[in-house]
mmCIF file of all heavy atoms in Angstrom:
data_model
loop_
_atom_site.group_PDB
_atom_site.id
_atom_site.type_symbol
_atom_site.label_atom_id
_atom_site.label_comp_id
_atom_site.label_asym_id
_atom_site.label_seq_id
_atom_site.Cartn_x
_atom_site.Cartn_y
_atom_site.Cartn_z
ATOM 1 N N GLY A 1045 0.776 -1.227 0.000
ATOM 2 C CA GLY A 1045 0.000 0.000 0.000
ATOM 3 C C GLY A 1045 0.807 1.277 0.000
ATOM 4 O O GLY A 1045 0.252 2.361 0.179
ATOM 5 N N ALA A 1046 2.118 1.185 -0.233
ATOM 6 C CA ALA A 1046 2.935 2.398 -0.292
ATOM 7 C C ALA A 1046 2.571 3.195 -1.541
ATOM 8 O O ALA A 1046 2.139 2.641 -2.557
ATOM 9 C CB ALA A 1046 4.417 2.041 -0.304
ATOM 10 N N ARG A 1047 2.745 4.506 -1.465
ATOM 11 C CA ARG A 1047 2.387 5.391 -2.569
ATOM 12 C C ARG A 1047 3.035 4.953 -3.884
ATOM 13 O O ARG A 1047 2.386 4.943 -4.931
ATOM 14 C CB ARG A 1047 2.796 6.827 -2.239
ATOM 15 C CG ARG A 1047 2.389 7.829 -3.306
ATOM 16 C CD ARG A 1047 2.767 9.252 -2.923
ATOM 17 N NE ARG A 1047 4.149 9.430 -2.550
ATOM 18 C CZ ARG A 1047 5.152 9.637 -3.421
ATOM 19 N NH1 ARG A 1047 4.908 9.677 -4.706
ATOM 20 N NH2 ARG A 1047 6.383 9.788 -2.990
ATOM 21 N N GLU A 1048 4.309 4.572 -3.834
ATOM 22 C CA GLU A 1048 5.019 4.156 -5.052
ATOM 23 C C GLU A 1048 4.379 2.903 -5.665
ATOM 24 O O GLU A 1048 4.295 2.777 -6.883
ATOM 25 C CB GLU A 1048 6.498 3.871 -4.760
ATOM 26 C CG GLU A 1048 7.256 5.058 -4.213
ATOM 27 C CD GLU A 1048 7.082 5.232 -2.707
ATOM 28 O OE1 GLU A 1048 6.792 4.253 -1.989
ATOM 29 O OE2 GLU A 1048 7.214 6.385 -2.249
ATOM 30 N N GLU A 1049 3.962 1.984 -4.813
ATOM 31 C CA GLU A 1049 3.348 0.745 -5.302
ATOM 32 C C GLU A 1049 1.982 1.032 -5.919
ATOM 33 O O GLU A 1049 1.618 0.441 -6.942
ATOM 34 C CB GLU A 1049 3.240 -0.265 -4.169
ATOM 35 C CG GLU A 1049 4.608 -0.733 -3.716
ATOM 36 C CD GLU A 1049 4.620 -1.341 -2.330
ATOM 37 O OE1 GLU A 1049 3.757 -1.025 -1.499
ATOM 38 O OE2 GLU A 1049 5.535 -2.139 -2.087
ATOM 39 N N ILE A 1050 1.232 1.941 -5.312
ATOM 40 C CA ILE A 1050 -0.069 2.314 -5.866
ATOM 41 C C ILE A 1050 0.126 2.985 -7.220
ATOM 42 O O ILE A 1050 -0.561 2.652 -8.198
ATOM 43 C CB ILE A 1050 -0.833 3.226 -4.886
ATOM 44 C CG1 ILE A 1050 -1.202 2.439 -3.624
ATOM 45 C CG2 ILE A 1050 -2.072 3.825 -5.555
ATOM 46 C CD1 ILE A 1050 -1.751 3.279 -2.495
ATOM 47 N N GLU A 1051 1.088 3.897 -7.314
ATOM 48 C CA GLU A 1051 1.370 4.569 -8.587
ATOM 49 C C GLU A 1051 1.794 3.565 -9.654
ATOM 50 O O GLU A 1051 1.388 3.667 -10.810
ATOM 51 C CB GLU A 1051 2.446 5.633 -8.400
ATOM 52 C CG GLU A 1051 1.962 6.833 -7.616
ATOM 53 C CD GLU A 1051 3.075 7.812 -7.266
ATOM 54 O OE1 GLU A 1051 4.260 7.554 -7.581
ATOM 55 O OE2 GLU A 1051 2.750 8.848 -6.656
ATOM 56 N N GLU A 1052 2.619 2.588 -9.261
ATOM 57 C CA GLU A 1052 3.051 1.567 -10.220
ATOM 58 C C GLU A 1052 1.867 0.750 -10.714
ATOM 59 O O GLU A 1052 1.732 0.487 -11.907
ATOM 60 C CB GLU A 1052 4.099 0.632 -9.599
ATOM 61 C CG GLU A 1052 4.588 -0.426 -10.568
ATOM 62 C CD GLU A 1052 5.612 -1.368 -9.970
ATOM 63 O OE1 GLU A 1052 5.941 -1.249 -8.778
ATOM 64 O OE2 GLU A 1052 6.067 -2.253 -10.720
ATOM 65 N N GLY A 1053 0.980 0.348 -9.805
ATOM 66 C CA GLY A 1053 -0.200 -0.423 -10.205
ATOM 67 C C GLY A 1053 -1.089 0.351 -11.160
ATOM 68 O O GLY A 1053 -1.562 -0.191 -12.164
ATOM 69 N N LEU A 1054 -1.291 1.609 -10.886
ATOM 70 C CA LEU A 1054 -2.123 2.423 -11.776
ATOM 71 C C LEU A 1054 -1.437 2.655 -13.119
ATOM 72 O O LEU A 1054 -2.090 2.662 -14.157
ATOM 73 C CB LEU A 1054 -2.469 3.752 -11.096
ATOM 74 C CG LEU A 1054 -3.348 3.616 -9.852
ATOM 75 C CD1 LEU A 1054 -3.488 4.961 -9.151
ATOM 76 C CD2 LEU A 1054 -4.719 3.036 -10.184
ATOM 77 N N SER A 1055 -0.103 2.797 -13.103
ATOM 78 C CA SER A 1055 0.616 2.985 -14.364
ATOM 79 C C SER A 1055 0.623 1.718 -15.217
ATOM 80 O O SER A 1055 0.808 1.793 -16.427
ATOM 81 C CB SER A 1055 2.048 3.458 -14.107
ATOM 82 O OG SER A 1055 2.838 2.415 -13.584
ATOM 83 N N MET A 1056 0.409 0.568 -14.586
ATOM 84 C CA MET A 1056 0.328 -0.697 -15.334
ATOM 85 C C MET A 1056 -1.034 -0.874 -15.993
ATOM 86 O O MET A 1056 -1.248 -1.832 -16.718
ATOM 87 C CB MET A 1056 0.594 -1.895 -14.419
ATOM 88 C CG MET A 1056 2.022 -2.015 -13.983
ATOM 89 S SD MET A 1056 2.355 -3.549 -13.055
ATOM 90 C CE MET A 1056 1.194 -3.447 -11.721
ATOM 91 N N GLY A 1057 -1.968 0.034 -15.712
ATOM 92 C CA GLY A 1057 -3.260 -0.043 -16.370
ATOM 93 C C GLY A 1057 -4.438 -0.333 -15.466
ATOM 94 O O GLY A 1057 -5.571 -0.389 -15.945
ATOM 95 N N ALA A 1058 -4.198 -0.533 -14.175
ATOM 96 C CA ALA A 1058 -5.326 -0.766 -13.268
ATOM 97 C C ALA A 1058 -6.199 0.486 -13.208
ATOM 98 O O ALA A 1058 -5.700 1.610 -13.249
ATOM 99 C CB ALA A 1058 -4.825 -1.120 -11.876
ATOM 100 N N LYS A 1059 -7.495 0.296 -13.099
ATOM 101 C CA LYS A 1059 -8.432 1.413 -13.002
ATOM 102 C C LYS A 1059 -8.539 1.945 -11.575
ATOM 103 O O LYS A 1059 -8.961 3.076 -11.372
ATOM 104 C CB LYS A 1059 -9.819 0.988 -13.495
ATOM 105 C CG LYS A 1059 -9.839 0.555 -14.942
ATOM 106 C CD LYS A 1059 -9.406 1.675 -15.854
ATOM 107 C CE LYS A 1059 -9.469 1.239 -17.297
ATOM 108 N NZ LYS A 1059 -8.827 2.188 -18.195
ATOM 109 N N ALA A 1060 -8.179 1.108 -10.598
ATOM 110 C CA ALA A 1060 -8.195 1.511 -9.194
ATOM 111 C C ALA A 1060 -7.234 0.609 -8.432
ATOM 112 O O ALA A 1060 -6.895 -0.486 -8.883
ATOM 113 C CB ALA A 1060 -9.605 1.405 -8.614
ATOM 114 N N TYR A 1061 -6.808 1.084 -7.262
ATOM 115 C CA TYR A 1061 -5.890 0.347 -6.406
ATOM 116 C C TYR A 1061 -6.379 0.494 -4.974
ATOM 117 O O TYR A 1061 -6.462 1.608 -4.459
ATOM 118 C CB TYR A 1061 -4.478 0.922 -6.555
ATOM 119 C CG TYR A 1061 -3.380 0.081 -5.959
ATOM 120 C CD1 TYR A 1061 -2.413 -0.493 -6.773
ATOM 121 C CD2 TYR A 1061 -3.267 -0.120 -4.584
ATOM 122 C CE1 TYR A 1061 -1.368 -1.247 -6.245
ATOM 123 C CE2 TYR A 1061 -2.237 -0.871 -4.045
ATOM 124 C CZ TYR A 1061 -1.287 -1.426 -4.882
ATOM 125 O OH TYR A 1061 -0.256 -2.181 -4.363
ATOM 126 N N LEU A 1062 -6.730 -0.618 -4.361
ATOM 127 C CA LEU A 1062 -7.228 -0.622 -2.987
ATOM 128 C C LEU A 1062 -6.245 -1.382 -2.100
ATOM 129 O O LEU A 1062 -6.047 -2.582 -2.276
ATOM 130 C CB LEU A 1062 -8.602 -1.293 -2.915
ATOM 131 C CG LEU A 1062 -9.713 -0.646 -3.736
ATOM 132 C CD1 LEU A 1062 -10.963 -1.514 -3.699
ATOM 133 C CD2 LEU A 1062 -9.996 0.755 -3.233
ATOM 134 N N PRO A 1063 -5.606 -0.696 -1.147
ATOM 135 C CA PRO A 1063 -4.717 -1.392 -0.221
ATOM 136 C C PRO A 1063 -5.522 -2.270 0.751
ATOM 137 O O PRO A 1063 -6.591 -1.883 1.202
ATOM 138 C CB PRO A 1063 -4.015 -0.263 0.539
ATOM 139 C CG PRO A 1063 -4.256 0.977 -0.257
ATOM 140 C CD PRO A 1063 -5.536 0.757 -0.988
ATOM 141 N N LYS A 1064 -4.974 -3.464 1.050
ATOM 142 C CA LYS A 1064 -5.570 -4.350 2.050
ATOM 143 C C LYS A 1064 -5.121 -3.897 3.424
ATOM 144 O O LYS A 1064 -3.982 -3.433 3.560
ATOM 145 C CB LYS A 1064 -5.121 -5.801 1.831
ATOM 146 C CG LYS A 1064 -5.702 -6.460 0.614
ATOM 147 C CD LYS A 1064 -5.142 -7.876 0.504
ATOM 148 C CE LYS A 1064 -5.625 -8.582 -0.739
ATOM 149 N NZ LYS A 1064 -4.982 -9.887 -0.903
ATOM 150 N N PRO A 1065 -5.931 -4.030 4.422
ATOM 151 C CA PRO A 1065 -7.303 -4.529 4.346
ATOM 152 C C PRO A 1065 -8.219 -3.446 3.784
ATOM 153 O O PRO A 1065 -8.042 -2.263 4.071
ATOM 154 C CB PRO A 1065 -7.662 -4.840 5.801
ATOM 155 C CG PRO A 1065 -6.790 -3.919 6.601
ATOM 156 C CD PRO A 1065 -5.529 -3.727 5.803
ATOM 157 N N VAL A 1066 -9.155 -3.860 2.969
ATOM 158 C CA VAL A 1066 -10.101 -2.928 2.361
ATOM 159 C C VAL A 1066 -11.479 -3.183 2.968
ATOM 160 O O VAL A 1066 -11.861 -4.331 3.187
ATOM 161 C CB VAL A 1066 -10.122 -3.076 0.826
ATOM 162 C CG1 VAL A 1066 -10.530 -4.470 0.402
ATOM 163 C CG2 VAL A 1066 -11.022 -2.045 0.182
ATOM 164 N N SER A 1067 -12.190 -2.122 3.247
ATOM 165 C CA SER A 1067 -13.541 -2.304 3.768
ATOM 166 C C SER A 1067 -14.437 -2.795 2.638
ATOM 167 O O SER A 1067 -14.229 -2.457 1.466
ATOM 168 C CB SER A 1067 -14.089 -0.996 4.347
ATOM 169 O OG SER A 1067 -14.446 -0.096 3.318
ATOM 170 N N LEU A 1068 -15.417 -3.583 2.992
ATOM 171 C CA LEU A 1068 -16.337 -4.096 1.972
ATOM 172 C C LEU A 1068 -17.121 -2.959 1.326
ATOM 173 O O LEU A 1068 -17.402 -2.997 0.128
ATOM 174 C CB LEU A 1068 -17.261 -5.146 2.577
ATOM 175 C CG LEU A 1068 -16.538 -6.406 3.028
ATOM 176 C CD1 LEU A 1068 -17.479 -7.328 3.782
ATOM 177 C CD2 LEU A 1068 -15.902 -7.128 1.853
ATOM 178 N N GLU A 1069 -17.426 -1.932 2.103
ATOM 179 C CA GLU A 1069 -18.131 -0.773 1.543
ATOM 180 C C GLU A 1069 -17.279 -0.094 0.473
ATOM 181 O O GLU A 1069 -17.763 0.221 -0.618
ATOM 182 C CB GLU A 1069 -18.475 0.214 2.655
ATOM 183 C CG GLU A 1069 -19.209 1.439 2.164
ATOM 184 C CD GLU A 1069 -19.542 2.408 3.289
ATOM 185 O OE1 GLU A 1069 -19.216 2.144 4.454
ATOM 186 O OE2 GLU A 1069 -20.120 3.448 2.966
ATOM 187 N N LYS A 1070 -15.996 0.116 0.762
ATOM 188 C CA LYS A 1070 -15.083 0.739 -0.204
ATOM 189 C C LYS A 1070 -14.933 -0.141 -1.439
ATOM 190 O O LYS A 1070 -14.912 0.357 -2.569
ATOM 191 C CB LYS A 1070 -13.728 0.991 0.457
ATOM 192 C CG LYS A 1070 -12.684 1.572 -0.460
ATOM 193 C CD LYS A 1070 -12.994 2.986 -0.847
ATOM 194 C CE LYS A 1070 -11.843 3.581 -1.642
ATOM 195 N NZ LYS A 1070 -12.182 4.870 -2.224
ATOM 196 N N LEU A 1071 -14.851 -1.443 -1.241
ATOM 197 C CA LEU A 1071 -14.760 -2.368 -2.369
ATOM 198 C C LEU A 1071 -15.985 -2.243 -3.270
ATOM 199 O O LEU A 1071 -15.859 -2.094 -4.486
ATOM 200 C CB LEU A 1071 -14.621 -3.810 -1.867
ATOM 201 C CG LEU A 1071 -14.688 -4.891 -2.944
ATOM 202 C CD1 LEU A 1071 -13.504 -4.799 -3.887
ATOM 203 C CD2 LEU A 1071 -14.783 -6.266 -2.316
ATOM 204 N N LEU A 1072 -17.167 -2.295 -2.688
ATOM 205 C CA LEU A 1072 -18.395 -2.237 -3.487
ATOM 206 C C LEU A 1072 -18.535 -0.903 -4.208
ATOM 207 O O LEU A 1072 -18.955 -0.863 -5.381
ATOM 208 C CB LEU A 1072 -19.608 -2.516 -2.612
ATOM 209 C CG LEU A 1072 -19.690 -3.938 -2.047
ATOM 210 C CD1 LEU A 1072 -20.829 -4.045 -1.042
ATOM 211 C CD2 LEU A 1072 -19.839 -4.967 -3.149
ATOM 212 N N ILE A 1073 -18.175 0.186 -3.549
ATOM 213 C CA ILE A 1073 -18.244 1.506 -4.188
ATOM 214 C C ILE A 1073 -17.271 1.577 -5.370
ATOM 215 O O ILE A 1073 -17.630 2.048 -6.455
ATOM 216 C CB ILE A 1073 -17.943 2.621 -3.155
ATOM 217 C CG1 ILE A 1073 -19.108 2.753 -2.179
ATOM 218 C CG2 ILE A 1073 -17.659 3.951 -3.854
ATOM 219 C CD1 ILE A 1073 -18.798 3.629 -0.974
ATOM 220 N N THR A 1074 -16.061 1.097 -5.173
ATOM 221 C CA THR A 1074 -15.051 1.144 -6.233
ATOM 222 C C THR A 1074 -15.445 0.257 -7.406
ATOM 223 O O THR A 1074 -15.296 0.650 -8.568
ATOM 224 C CB THR A 1074 -13.670 0.752 -5.680
ATOM 225 O OG1 THR A 1074 -13.357 1.611 -4.575
ATOM 226 C CG2 THR A 1074 -12.594 0.877 -6.738
ATOM 227 N N VAL A 1075 -15.958 -0.924 -7.122
ATOM 228 C CA VAL A 1075 -16.432 -1.816 -8.184
ATOM 229 C C VAL A 1075 -17.499 -1.111 -9.018
ATOM 230 O O VAL A 1075 -17.435 -1.094 -10.250
ATOM 231 C CB VAL A 1075 -16.969 -3.144 -7.601
ATOM 232 C CG1 VAL A 1075 -17.812 -3.908 -8.617
ATOM 233 C CG2 VAL A 1075 -15.818 -4.001 -7.100
#
């Protein structure tokens, strides 16, 4: 969940990046 890792995931093409543990509410909203 470090900022650099989130930026890398998004630069690889992910539409969103959720660090674990993620709340189910946040998961459903992001989906």
Side-chain angles (χ1 to χ4, degrees):
R1047 183 178 52 85
E1048 300 83 25
E1049 293 160 335
I1050 293 170
E1051 289 172 357
E1052 181 181 2
L1054 295 173
S1055 72
M1056 289 187 303
K1059 299 299 182 191
Y1061 192 115
L1062 300 173
K1064 289 178 183 174
V1066 60
S1067 74
L1068 294 172
E1069 180 180 0
K1070 177 69 174 171
L1071 173 66
L1072 294 172
I1073 289 169
T1074 304
V1075 164

